[in-house]
Amino acid sequence: MTVPGPRRGAQLAFLGIMELTVAAAISLLLYALLWKAGNLVDLPSQRIGFYNFCLWNESAGSLQCYHWSELEALGLSPGGLALARLGVYGALVLTLFVPLPLLLAHCNRRDEEWQLVLGFLAVASMLLAFGLGLFLACTWRWLTLSLLGPGFLALCAAQALLLLLLRATVVFAQRAGATSKPESCQSCAKGHGCQGC
């Protein structure tokens, strides 16, 4: 069994921090899109989200939720809202696939696995930015910055974490020397069992 040197220990610590950051981004996306049901505004007088569009009805004295077919009459593009929904939920799905390739890329030190991690992070980040931006562009008539709630803040924080992870993965892949395997990982390929991979 080999004892990790100072550089290997620093790499493992950095990898652990990256995995925790991925977990934080996933948690924020799950919170905003599942726990908060995709609602960016969730007030007693207004509920606007990826699945809900409810405005206060003065005559009824309650929230009136509009169905998909009624959104065009309000001037909303159902196609734009569907693309926005696809973007943000697609970002969640792709982010869920990041942790395993990240660990494999660290152990195997192959360029293809680092590129897979970079691809997942880049596409997830672009999808989230596209979906959130398109949704805000479609619904901006009914939104003000002060109305946006914790779901919106969680999506913004997840976007920031995804960009941070993307940058850190580029730097880490270069520093890890993606073409050479450590001795302990070479035993994995020979079937002798992994020692610290």
Side-chain angles (χ1 to χ4, degrees):
M1 181 179 209
T2 60
V3 178
R7 182 175 175 177
R8 178 97 169 127
Q11 287 180 353
L12 288 174
F14 188 69
L15 182 69
I17 291 170
M18 286 179 64
E19 289 289 347
L20 288 174
T21 308
V22 170
I26 291 170
S27 298
L28 287 167
L29 288 168
L30 287 172
Y31 170 77
L33 299 175
L34 297 179
W35 183 264
K36 288 294 188 181
N39 292 330
L40 301 185
V41 176
D42 196 4
L43 300 171
S45 62
Q46 197 175 30
R47 186 174 302 125
I48 298 175
F50 293 101
Y51 287 99
N52 296 315
F53 194 84
C54 306
L55 300 173
W56 187 257
N57 187 341
E58 293 292 332
S59 60
S62 64
L63 276 179
Q64 177 182 357
C65 294
Y66 295 92
H67 297 285
W68 192 256
S69 58
E70 300 170 324
L71 293 177
E72 281 187 88
L74 291 173
L76 286 169
S77 167
L81 292 176
L83 282 174
R85 186 184 302 164
L86 179 69
V88 294
Y89 285 91
L92 171 61
V93 170
L94 286 176
T95 306
L96 288 172
F97 286 105
V98 170
L100 183 61
L102 185 60
L103 288 173
L104 289 174
H106 177 68
C107 181
N108 296 333
R109 310 242 180 199
R110 292 189 356 214
D111 286 333
E112 296 84 17
E113 290 164 346
W114 285 113
Q115 290 171 359
L116 182 64
V117 173
L118 288 172
F120 279 143
L121 287 171
V123 174
S125 180
M126 286 187 292
L127 281 174
L128 182 57
F130 169 76
L132 189 56
L134 185 59
F135 181 81
L136 292 174
C138 288
T139 59
W140 197 248
R141 282 190 342 191
W142 296 275
L143 298 177
T144 60
L145 198 55
S146 62
L147 294 177
L148 295 171
F152 175 74
L153 293 175
L155 289 178
C156 289
Q159 178 66 35
L161 287 177
L162 286 174
L163 290 173
L164 178 69
L165 280 166
L166 185 61
R167 178 67 182 138
T169 303
V170 169
V171 171
F172 189 67
Q174 291 171 351
R175 287 194 179 168
T179 56
S180 65
K181 291 183 181 179
E183 291 176 22
S184 61
C185 287
Q186 289 176 354
S187 65
C188 294
K190 295 177 184 175
H192 300 296
C194 291
Q195 300 171 0
C197 293

